[in-house]
């Protein structure tokens, strides 16, 4: 089946495109006006159509040209605060835009759509975890536009035979393995990217708004779902419709949630940076807990989120931010590393090297004293990055510093060109040989 992904150059959309590529049933096509998306987030082998969902005729023409069988719909404006001061933009982009998309689908004879909705349709729930049949009382324009779209799709189902799935969730987080694509909003308003910017020194501090909520540590509890788990859910929803599934709505949630303080502490652990945290008063309208139940989705779609621990989410986001750091340098990946590298620190030069290697995807990597001129702490971080980069492949590191050597899977001790001892650190220490003496 050929699947058109609207907003496929955006954060969740681009990850879903890759999930579709891995499936045997689907071939993705990306449709995006690049107002907030990034052309470089779309894989080269995927057809990219630059267009606007408001253009009904072009939408229908595109679907006919590429013989589209179904749509996964992400294209929307999604900043809650902005929606409250620019409601016209949100009703135009989200509601009117989706109406035009649906009309284009009708003209092209496409009758299946997976809609990326939001758990904001529930507003402030009386209890958690939130289930699909809870009352709908959105407290912001963004949530209201998504609820209107769900009602619109329900009407199209009754009148025209549309088959749809609406997926409701709160916070997408994390990034693809290797960090080649990730979260990159302008402006950035999401907690985890803001925390990582603080760890990088881009921001002076991260704020905790409210420490007296009725939660275990006094800070707000929120749902965070790894973007790869979300991508899987969208693919499963399309499989459900392709298999004759009836139109329905599903929540995607962790069912437990993570507190703001917990996210911050895990970020400190993952980044190794004890960045500044400022405790401030509560923000108006912030509920104590927003957590969704996924029981219905797991049963109907077979969804099984496997990556949504705080450590996995933040580690993946950190890798993507390192990649983004390079992209934002004056000359991006063409930045000079050598003598003309200007004010680049040794660590920044190493990050440039790592990211360039990441693009090349080498089957084997050989490093000869590559990090000998930097401090031990930075060296360990860089070696960990190489280990992640080369996972499933082979890397040889010529090194003399113990902090580098002791983390290797296999250590070779050489003398006069011959291997005289080999094993991991613990094994070699017990041999009482040359390695132990060193």
């Amino acid at each position: 089946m050929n699947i058109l992904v609207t907003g496929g150059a955006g954060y969740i959309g681009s990850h879903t495109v890759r999930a579709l590529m891995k499936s045997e049933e689907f071939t993705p096509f990306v449709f995006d006006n690049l107002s907030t998306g990034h052309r470089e987030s779309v894989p080269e082998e995927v057809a990219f159509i630059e267009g606007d969902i408001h253009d009904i005729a072009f939408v229908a023409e595109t679907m006919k040209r590429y013989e589209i069988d179904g749509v996964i719909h992400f294209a929307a404006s999604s900043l809650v605060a902005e929606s409250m001061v620019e409601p016209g933009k949100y009703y135009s982009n989200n509601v009117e835009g989706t109406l035009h998309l649906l009309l284009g689908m009708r003209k092209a004879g496409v009758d299946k759509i997976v809609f990326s909705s939001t758990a904001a349709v529930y507003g402030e729930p009386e209890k958690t975890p939130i289930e699909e049949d809870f009352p709908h009382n959105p407290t912001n324009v963004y949530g209201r536009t998504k609820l209107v779209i769900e009602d619109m799709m329900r009407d199209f189902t009754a009148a025209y035979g549309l088959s749809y799935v609406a997926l409701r969730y709160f916070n997408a987080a994390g990034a693809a393995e290797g960090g080649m694509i990730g979260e990159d909003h302008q402006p950035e308003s999401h907690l985890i990217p803001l925390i990582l910017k603080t760890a990088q020194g881009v921001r002076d501090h991260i704020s905790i708004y409210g420490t007296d909520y009725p939660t275990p540590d006094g800070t707000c509890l929120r749902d965070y779902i790894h973007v790869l788990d979300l991508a899987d859910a969208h693919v499963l929803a399309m499989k459900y419709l392709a298999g004759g599934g009836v139109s329905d709505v599903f929540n995607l949630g962790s069912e437990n949630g993570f507190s703001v303080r917990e996210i911050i502490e895990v970020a400190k652990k993952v980044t190794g940076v004890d960045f500044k945290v400022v405790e401030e008063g509560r923000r108006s309208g912030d509920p104590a807990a927003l957590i969704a139940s996924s029981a219905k989705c797991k049963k109907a779609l077979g969804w099984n989120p496997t990556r949504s621990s705080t450590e996995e989410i933040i580690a993946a986001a950190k890798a993507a931010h390192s990649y983004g750091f390079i992209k934002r340098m004056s000359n991006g990946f063409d930045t000079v590393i050598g003598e003309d590298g200007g004010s680049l620190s040794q660590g920044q030069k190493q990050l440039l090297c790592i990211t360039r290697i990441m693009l090349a995807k080498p089957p084997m990597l050989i490093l000869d004293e590559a990090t000998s001129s930097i401090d031990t702490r930075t060296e360990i971080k860089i070696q960990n990055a190489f280990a992640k980069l080369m996972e499933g492949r082979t890397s040889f590191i010529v090194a003399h510093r113990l902090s580098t050597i002791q983390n290797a899977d296999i250590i070779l001790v050489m003398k006069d060109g011959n291997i005289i001892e080999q094993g991991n650190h613990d094994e070699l220490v017990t041999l009482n040989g040359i390695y132990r003496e060193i």
Side-chain angles (χ1 to χ4, degrees):
M1 292 179 64
N2 292 341
I3 307 300
L4 191 71
V5 183
T6 68
Y11 174 41
I12 306 173
S14 60
H15 287 84
T16 301
V17 167
R18 285 162 171 77
L20 288 166
M21 292 171 66
K22 293 179 180 179
S23 70
E24 296 179 356
E25 299 96 323
F26 304 122
T27 301
F29 297 78
V30 171
F31 191 93
D32 201 302
N33 66 5
L34 299 181
S35 58
T36 57
H38 305 276
R39 178 65 181 86
E40 60 269 24
S41 294
V42 180
E44 291 183 2
E45 57 268 43
V46 174
F48 173 77
I49 303 97
E50 185 170 356
D52 198 302
I53 57 175
H54 286 276
D55 190 338
I56 300 173
F58 185 62
V59 167
E61 177 189 334
T62 298
M63 291 184 181
K64 290 177 181 178
R65 182 190 313 147
Y66 293 100
E67 300 181 343
I68 298 300
D69 300 296
V71 174
I72 299 181
H73 180 35
F74 293 102
S77 296
S78 59
L79 298 177
V80 170
E82 183 188 53
S83 77
M84 300 302 288
V85 296
E86 294 281 357
K89 172 182 177 180
Y90 279 70
Y91 280 101
S92 176
N93 287 352
N94 297 1
V95 177
E96 186 182 18
T98 303
L99 172 60
H100 290 165
L101 173 65
L102 293 175
L103 291 175
M105 289 173 61
R106 277 205 72 210
K107 289 186 68 173
V110 179
D111 62 358
K112 297 176 181 62
I113 183 170
V114 175
F115 173 52
S116 179
S117 189
T118 175
V121 300
Y122 298 109
E124 298 186 24
E126 295 181 359
K127 63 178 182 177
T128 58
I130 303 166
E131 297 179 0
E132 286 82 356
D133 58 357
F134 277 28
H136 301 148
N137 297 300
T139 58
N140 54 68
V141 173
Y142 168 66
R144 283 193 282 274
T145 63
K146 292 284 190 169
L147 187 58
V148 170
I149 293 169
E150 288 189 16
D151 290 339
M152 184 164 56
M153 291 193 303
R154 192 174 298 112
D155 292 336
F156 269 62
T157 296
Y160 307 126
L162 178 73
S163 295
Y164 77 89
V165 165
L167 298 176
R168 298 170 178 165
Y169 51 92
F170 284 114
N171 300 296
E177 295 175 3
M180 296 298 286
I181 57 171
E183 198 167 5
D184 187 13
H185 301 110
Q186 298 296 333
E188 186 57 75
S189 62
H190 297 168
L191 178 63
I192 292 176
L194 291 177
I195 289 174
L196 292 173
K197 287 179 182 292
T198 306
Q200 290 174 337
V202 177
R203 293 169 54 90
D204 174 70
H205 66 275
I206 189 71
S207 295
I208 297 178
Y209 295 101
T211 58
D212 59 348
Y213 286 95
T215 60
D217 65 14
T219 65
C220 290
L221 283 173
R222 293 291 183 266
D223 243 341
Y224 291 91
I225 303 296
H226 198 293
V227 67
L228 295 180
D229 286 333
L230 286 179
D232 289 345
H234 284 80
V235 174
L236 287 171
M238 183 55 71
K239 289 182 179 180
Y240 166 83
L241 292 178
V246 298
S247 295
D248 211 338
V249 174
F250 300 100
N251 287 343
L252 304 175
S254 67
E255 302 185 344
N256 296 304
F258 310 107
S259 75
V260 173
R261 193 182 300 280
E262 181 182 2
I263 293 288
I264 289 173
E265 291 306 313
V266 172
K268 287 184 176 182
K269 176 182 175 183
V270 170
T271 63
V273 179
D274 187 17
F275 49 82
K276 183 179 179 181
V277 179
V278 176
E279 296 183 357
E280 302 189 38
R282 292 188 185 188
R283 290 184 300 193
S284 176
D286 269 354
L290 291 174
I291 303 167
S293 168
S294 297
K296 180 181 175 183
C297 179
K298 290 177 179 177
K299 182 177 180 180
L301 304 185
W303 184 56
N304 180 33
T306 60
R307 314 170 184 90
S308 292
S309 72
T310 52
E311 289 83 359
E312 288 173 300
I313 287 173
I314 293 176
K318 176 175 176 281
H321 273 258
S322 295
Y323 182 87
F325 162 75
I326 304 301
K327 292 286 287 183
R328 285 189 290 273
M329 297 186 83
S330 58
N331 293 308
F333 290 101
D334 294 325
T335 302
V336 176
I337 297 178
E339 293 181 0
D340 297 324
S343 60
L344 291 182
S345 68
Q346 293 292 343
Q348 288 173 326
K349 293 176 182 179
Q350 291 300 321
L351 277 174
L352 267 170
C353 290
I354 291 170
T355 317
R356 287 173 177 166
I357 291 168
M358 195 180 295
L359 286 179
K361 298 180 181 177
M364 183 178 294
L365 176 68
I366 301 176
L367 298 177
D368 186 358
E369 292 291 317
T371 57
S372 59
S373 62
I374 59 178
D375 63 275
T376 299
R377 180 180 176 187
T378 304
E379 182 184 48
I380 292 173
K381 289 183 180 180
I382 289 171
Q383 298 300 345
N384 287 340
F386 275 122
K388 178 64 177 176
L389 163 67
M390 297 302 295
E391 187 174 0
R393 289 174 282 174
T394 302
S395 59
F396 294 92
I397 299 175
V398 179
H400 297 94
R401 187 179 287 169
L402 181 61
S403 59
T404 300
I405 297 170
Q406 64 185 2
N407 292 319
D409 296 316
I410 300 175
I411 300 167
L412 305 179
V413 181
M414 301 185 69
K415 184 176 181 180
D416 299 326
N418 299 311
I419 299 172
I420 56 174
E421 293 177 8
Q422 70 179 59
N424 61 37
H425 173 75
D426 293 335
E427 291 170 344
L428 292 178
V429 167
T430 61
L431 291 179
N432 291 321
I434 292 180
Y435 183 83
R436 174 67 177 266
E437 292 177 15
I438 296 172

